[in-house]
Short mmCIF file of all heavy atoms in Angstrom, two decimals:
data_model
loop_
_atom_site.label_atom_id
_atom_site.label_comp_id
_atom_site.label_asym_id
_atom_site.label_seq_id
_atom_site.Cartn_x
_atom_site.Cartn_y
_atom_site.Cartn_z
N LEU A 300 36.99 29.14 -28.62
CA LEU A 300 38.38 29.50 -28.86
C LEU A 300 38.50 30.00 -30.29
O LEU A 300 38.22 29.27 -31.24
CB LEU A 300 39.29 28.30 -28.64
CG LEU A 300 40.79 28.56 -28.70
CD1 LEU A 300 41.21 29.57 -27.62
CD2 LEU A 300 41.56 27.27 -28.51
N LEU A 314 53.41 34.09 -33.67
CA LEU A 314 52.66 32.84 -33.67
C LEU A 314 51.42 33.07 -34.52
O LEU A 314 50.57 33.89 -34.17
CB LEU A 314 52.27 32.44 -32.25
CG LEU A 314 53.41 32.36 -31.24
CD1 LEU A 314 52.89 31.90 -29.88
CD2 LEU A 314 54.52 31.45 -31.73
N ARG A 317 48.30 28.15 -39.22
CA ARG A 317 48.93 27.34 -40.25
C ARG A 317 48.29 27.65 -41.60
O ARG A 317 47.10 27.89 -41.69
CB ARG A 317 48.80 25.86 -39.93
CG ARG A 317 49.56 25.51 -38.68
CD ARG A 317 49.41 24.07 -38.29
NE ARG A 317 50.02 23.91 -36.97
CZ ARG A 317 50.11 22.77 -36.35
NH1 ARG A 317 49.64 21.66 -36.90
NH2 ARG A 317 50.67 22.70 -35.16
N ARG A 358 41.01 21.68 -34.17
CA ARG A 358 41.48 21.93 -32.80
C ARG A 358 41.00 23.30 -32.32
O ARG A 358 40.55 23.45 -31.19
CB ARG A 358 43.01 21.84 -32.72
CG ARG A 358 43.61 20.53 -33.17
CD ARG A 358 43.65 19.43 -32.17
NE ARG A 358 44.41 19.78 -30.98
CZ ARG A 358 44.24 19.15 -29.83
NH1 ARG A 358 43.39 18.17 -29.73
NH2 ARG A 358 44.94 19.49 -28.77
N TRP A 359 41.11 24.30 -33.19
CA TRP A 359 40.63 25.64 -32.83
C TRP A 359 39.12 25.61 -32.62
O TRP A 359 38.62 26.11 -31.62
CB TRP A 359 40.97 26.65 -33.93
CG TRP A 359 42.37 27.15 -33.89
CD1 TRP A 359 43.41 26.74 -34.67
CD2 TRP A 359 42.90 28.17 -33.04
NE1 TRP A 359 44.55 27.44 -34.35
CE2 TRP A 359 44.26 28.33 -33.37
CE3 TRP A 359 42.35 28.98 -32.05
CZ2 TRP A 359 45.07 29.27 -32.73
CZ3 TRP A 359 43.16 29.91 -31.42
CH2 TRP A 359 44.51 30.03 -31.75
N GLY A 362 37.92 23.94 -29.51
CA GLY A 362 38.49 24.48 -28.27
C GLY A 362 39.45 23.53 -27.58
O GLY A 362 39.81 23.75 -26.43
N ARG A 363 39.90 22.49 -28.27
CA ARG A 363 40.83 21.53 -27.67
C ARG A 363 42.29 21.99 -27.78
O ARG A 363 43.16 21.46 -27.12
CB ARG A 363 40.68 20.16 -28.32
CG ARG A 363 39.33 19.50 -28.13
CD ARG A 363 39.03 19.15 -26.72
NE ARG A 363 39.93 18.11 -26.23
CZ ARG A 363 39.96 17.67 -24.99
NH1 ARG A 363 39.13 18.16 -24.11
NH2 ARG A 363 40.80 16.74 -24.62
N GLY A 364 42.56 22.94 -28.65
CA GLY A 364 43.94 23.39 -28.80
C GLY A 364 44.05 24.63 -29.66
O GLY A 364 43.10 25.01 -30.35
N ALA A 365 45.21 25.25 -29.55
CA ALA A 365 45.55 26.42 -30.35
C ALA A 365 46.87 26.13 -31.04
O ALA A 365 47.94 26.45 -30.53
CB ALA A 365 45.64 27.66 -29.46
N PRO A 366 46.81 25.46 -32.20
CA PRO A 366 48.04 25.13 -32.91
C PRO A 366 48.54 26.32 -33.73
O PRO A 366 47.82 26.85 -34.57
CB PRO A 366 47.62 23.96 -33.82
CG PRO A 366 46.15 24.12 -33.99
CD PRO A 366 45.63 24.86 -32.80
N PHE A 367 49.75 26.74 -33.43
CA PHE A 367 50.37 27.87 -34.11
C PHE A 367 51.58 27.43 -34.92
O PHE A 367 52.29 26.49 -34.53
CB PHE A 367 50.88 28.90 -33.10
CG PHE A 367 49.83 29.70 -32.39
CD1 PHE A 367 49.52 29.44 -31.06
CD2 PHE A 367 49.17 30.74 -33.03
CE1 PHE A 367 48.58 30.19 -30.38
CE2 PHE A 367 48.23 31.51 -32.36
CZ PHE A 367 47.93 31.23 -31.02
N LEU A 380 56.67 24.85 -34.81
CA LEU A 380 55.29 24.76 -34.34
C LEU A 380 55.25 24.89 -32.83
O LEU A 380 56.16 24.42 -32.14
CB LEU A 380 54.69 23.39 -34.71
CG LEU A 380 54.73 22.98 -36.17
CD1 LEU A 380 54.28 21.53 -36.31
CD2 LEU A 380 53.85 23.90 -37.00
N VAL A 381 54.21 25.51 -32.34
CA VAL A 381 53.93 25.50 -30.91
C VAL A 381 52.43 25.29 -30.76
O VAL A 381 51.63 25.91 -31.46
CB VAL A 381 54.42 26.78 -30.18
CG1 VAL A 381 53.70 28.02 -30.61
CG2 VAL A 381 54.34 26.61 -28.66
N ASN A 382 52.08 24.36 -29.91
CA ASN A 382 50.68 24.05 -29.67
C ASN A 382 50.33 24.35 -28.22
O ASN A 382 51.03 23.92 -27.31
CB ASN A 382 50.39 22.56 -29.94
CG ASN A 382 50.50 22.23 -31.40
OD1 ASN A 382 49.91 22.90 -32.24
ND2 ASN A 382 51.27 21.21 -31.71
N VAL A 383 49.24 25.09 -28.05
CA VAL A 383 48.66 25.29 -26.73
C VAL A 383 47.55 24.25 -26.64
O VAL A 383 46.64 24.23 -27.48
CB VAL A 383 48.10 26.72 -26.57
CG1 VAL A 383 47.57 26.94 -25.16
CG2 VAL A 383 49.17 27.76 -26.91
N GLN A 384 47.64 23.37 -25.66
CA GLN A 384 46.74 22.22 -25.57
C GLN A 384 45.91 22.31 -24.30
O GLN A 384 46.44 22.66 -23.24
CB GLN A 384 47.55 20.92 -25.58
CG GLN A 384 48.43 20.82 -26.80
CD GLN A 384 49.53 19.78 -26.68
OE1 GLN A 384 49.96 19.42 -25.60
NE2 GLN A 384 49.98 19.29 -27.82
N PHE A 385 44.63 21.98 -24.42
CA PHE A 385 43.72 22.06 -23.29
C PHE A 385 43.20 20.68 -22.94
O PHE A 385 42.90 19.88 -23.82
CB PHE A 385 42.55 22.99 -23.62
CG PHE A 385 43.01 24.34 -24.10
CD1 PHE A 385 42.96 24.66 -25.44
CD2 PHE A 385 43.53 25.26 -23.22
CE1 PHE A 385 43.40 25.89 -25.90
CE2 PHE A 385 43.98 26.49 -23.66
CZ PHE A 385 43.92 26.81 -25.00
N VAL A 391 43.95 25.37 -17.03
CA VAL A 391 45.30 24.88 -17.26
C VAL A 391 45.51 24.56 -18.74
O VAL A 391 44.64 23.98 -19.38
CB VAL A 391 45.57 23.61 -16.41
CG1 VAL A 391 46.95 23.04 -16.69
CG2 VAL A 391 45.42 23.93 -14.92
N ALA A 392 46.67 24.95 -19.25
CA ALA A 392 47.03 24.63 -20.64
C ALA A 392 48.44 24.05 -20.66
O ALA A 392 49.29 24.40 -19.85
CB ALA A 392 46.98 25.88 -21.51
N GLY A 393 48.66 23.16 -21.61
CA GLY A 393 49.99 22.59 -21.83
C GLY A 393 50.57 23.13 -23.12
O GLY A 393 49.82 23.48 -24.04
N LEU A 394 51.87 23.20 -23.20
CA LEU A 394 52.55 23.67 -24.41
C LEU A 394 53.46 22.57 -24.94
O LEU A 394 54.12 21.86 -24.19
CB LEU A 394 53.43 24.89 -24.12
CG LEU A 394 52.76 26.16 -23.66
CD1 LEU A 394 53.81 27.27 -23.49
CD2 LEU A 394 51.68 26.60 -24.61
N ALA A 395 53.48 22.47 -26.25
CA ALA A 395 54.41 21.58 -26.94
C ALA A 395 55.03 22.38 -28.07
O ALA A 395 54.32 23.07 -28.81
CB ALA A 395 53.69 20.35 -27.48
N VAL A 396 56.34 22.30 -28.21
CA VAL A 396 57.04 23.07 -29.24
C VAL A 396 57.95 22.16 -30.04
O VAL A 396 58.48 21.18 -29.52
CB VAL A 396 57.85 24.23 -28.61
CG1 VAL A 396 58.99 23.72 -27.77
CG2 VAL A 396 58.34 25.21 -29.67
N ALA A 411 59.15 31.19 -28.62
CA ALA A 411 57.79 30.70 -28.89
C ALA A 411 57.11 30.24 -27.60
O ALA A 411 55.92 30.52 -27.39
CB ALA A 411 57.83 29.57 -29.91
N LEU A 412 57.84 29.53 -26.75
CA LEU A 412 57.27 29.10 -25.48
C LEU A 412 56.87 30.29 -24.62
O LEU A 412 55.79 30.30 -24.01
CB LEU A 412 58.25 28.21 -24.72
CG LEU A 412 58.44 26.80 -25.27
CD1 LEU A 412 59.69 26.16 -24.69
CD2 LEU A 412 57.20 25.95 -25.00
N VAL A 414 56.16 33.45 -25.63
CA VAL A 414 55.03 34.16 -26.23
C VAL A 414 53.73 33.37 -26.05
O VAL A 414 52.69 33.93 -25.67
CB VAL A 414 55.30 34.47 -27.73
CG1 VAL A 414 54.05 34.97 -28.43
CG2 VAL A 414 56.44 35.48 -27.87
N ALA A 415 53.77 32.07 -26.30
CA ALA A 415 52.57 31.24 -26.15
C ALA A 415 52.10 31.18 -24.70
O ALA A 415 50.90 31.25 -24.42
CB ALA A 415 52.82 29.83 -26.69
N GLY A 416 53.06 31.06 -23.77
CA GLY A 416 52.70 31.03 -22.35
C GLY A 416 52.05 32.32 -21.89
O GLY A 416 51.02 32.30 -21.22
N TRP A 418 50.57 34.54 -23.79
CA TRP A 418 49.28 34.65 -24.48
C TRP A 418 48.21 33.84 -23.75
O TRP A 418 47.10 34.32 -23.50
CB TRP A 418 49.42 34.20 -25.93
CG TRP A 418 48.14 34.19 -26.70
CD1 TRP A 418 47.49 35.27 -27.23
CD2 TRP A 418 47.34 33.04 -27.02
NE1 TRP A 418 46.35 34.86 -27.86
CE2 TRP A 418 46.23 33.50 -27.75
CE3 TRP A 418 47.47 31.68 -26.77
CZ2 TRP A 418 45.24 32.65 -28.23
CZ3 TRP A 418 46.49 30.82 -27.25
CH2 TRP A 418 45.39 31.30 -27.97
N ALA A 419 48.53 32.60 -23.37
CA ALA A 419 47.55 31.75 -22.68
C ALA A 419 47.16 32.33 -21.32
O ALA A 419 45.98 32.29 -20.94
CB ALA A 419 48.10 30.33 -22.53
N LEU A 420 48.11 32.88 -20.60
CA LEU A 420 47.81 33.46 -19.29
C LEU A 420 47.04 34.76 -19.39
O LEU A 420 46.05 34.96 -18.69
CB LEU A 420 49.11 33.68 -18.50
CG LEU A 420 49.88 32.44 -18.06
CD1 LEU A 420 51.22 32.83 -17.46
CD2 LEU A 420 49.07 31.59 -17.08
N LEU A 423 43.83 34.29 -22.57
CA LEU A 423 42.86 33.23 -22.34
C LEU A 423 42.50 33.08 -20.86
O LEU A 423 41.59 32.33 -20.52
CB LEU A 423 43.39 31.89 -22.87
CG LEU A 423 43.71 31.82 -24.35
CD1 LEU A 423 44.19 30.43 -24.73
CD2 LEU A 423 42.52 32.24 -25.21
N MET A 425 44.28 31.67 -18.48
CA MET A 425 44.74 30.44 -17.85
C MET A 425 45.41 30.79 -16.51
O MET A 425 45.98 31.87 -16.36
CB MET A 425 45.77 29.72 -18.73
CG MET A 425 45.23 29.20 -20.05
SD MET A 425 44.13 27.81 -19.84
CE MET A 425 42.61 28.51 -20.46
N VAL A 428 50.21 27.34 -17.01
CA VAL A 428 50.65 26.81 -18.30
C VAL A 428 51.85 25.94 -17.99
O VAL A 428 52.76 26.35 -17.27
CB VAL A 428 51.03 27.95 -19.27
CG1 VAL A 428 51.51 27.37 -20.59
CG2 VAL A 428 49.85 28.89 -19.49
#
Side-chain angles (χ1 to χ4, degrees):
L300 187 61
L314 306 182
R317 295 178 188 183
R358 302 277 301 159
W359 280 100
R363 297 294 294 175
F367 288 106
L380 305 172
V381 65
N382 292 309
V383 183
Q384 304 164 335
F385 307 103
V391 177
L394 296 182
V396 67
L412 287 165
V414 170
W418 176 77
L420 293 172
L423 301 181
M425 295 290 116
V428 179

